[in-house]
Amino acid sequence: MKKLFVILALLALLVACAPQKPVQPVVEKVEEPKASFNVNPPAEVKTEAAPVEVTEAPKAESSGPQTVKVDIVGFKYVPASVKIKVGDTVTWTQVDTVKHTVTIVAGPENFDSGLLTAGQTYSHTFTKPGTYSYKCTPHPNMRGEVIVE
Ligand code: CO
């Protein structure tokens, strides 16, 4: 009798020490919504127009300073007139075999490229608004302008 008790006690101990079964996560059964075949919306639902998303045009300042190109070709500045913003740069590219200059005639700032040979470029960054008239020193009939806003 005592032996049986010891065995039972050992068994009880074994059961107590046995690793607990991991608790199974309770998976809740989610009922799938039944497809509604009601085509017509309820009368009380107002069909409002979707709000119009206003996309602001990017400001010129946010896109950073720009560089505008002007060619010196055929005794002309092409284009002869460019409109830019303060901080922008104009780069002239001399194409003709004859030498030309980009020389200020009137404007808030002075600049002069000096004689440019074919293939040379000259750049000027405009820091003050206004209209800049320029010419070619050897060929004063060559005229151009930069309008800085
Ligand atoms: Co010239």
Side-chain angles (χ1 to χ4, degrees):
M1 188 64 192
K2 201 177 179 188
K3 207 172 182 180
L4 185 69
F5 177 77
V6 170
I7 289 167
L8 280 173
L10 278 171
L11 273 172
L13 205 66
L14 272 172
V15 169
C17 290
Q20 292 267 327
K21 251 196 180 176
V23 179
Q24 291 277 340
V26 179
V27 180
E28 274 184 49
K29 205 173 182 187
V30 180
E31 230 174 89
E32 282 184 37
K34 283 182 181 154
S36 172
F37 297 103
N38 190 1
V39 175
N40 296 319
E44 65 267 21
V45 173
K46 281 183 192 170
T47 42
E48 284 179 53
V52 178
E53 216 171 284
V54 179
T55 308
E56 266 187 60
K59 287 172 185 167
E61 288 80 20
S62 65
S63 57
Q66 308 288 309
T67 297
V68 176
K69 293 189 183 302
V70 174
D71 285 337
I72 309 172
V73 56
F75 290 81
K76 281 176 186 167
Y77 302 103
V78 182
S81 179
V82 291
K83 201 178 269 188
I84 61 169
K85 300 252 191 287
V86 169
D88 288 351
T89 298
V90 176
T91 296
W92 288 266
T93 302
Q94 219 287 73
V95 180
D96 283 348
T97 48
V98 175
K99 290 176 186 174
H100 298 294
T101 71
V102 177
T103 307
I104 196 80
V105 174
E109 294 172 327
N110 283 315
F111 57 88
D112 188 353
S113 67
L115 285 169
L116 300 170
T117 57
Q120 276 193 304
T121 62
Y122 173 71
S123 293
H124 183 81
T125 301
F126 293 80
T127 58
K128 290 175 186 166
T131 299
Y132 297 72
S133 300
Y134 64 89
K135 65 171 183 179
C136 174
T137 303
H139 317 105
N141 288 337
M142 289 176 64
R143 292 292 179 125
E145 68 173 4
V146 178
I147 298 160
V148 182
E149 293 176 323

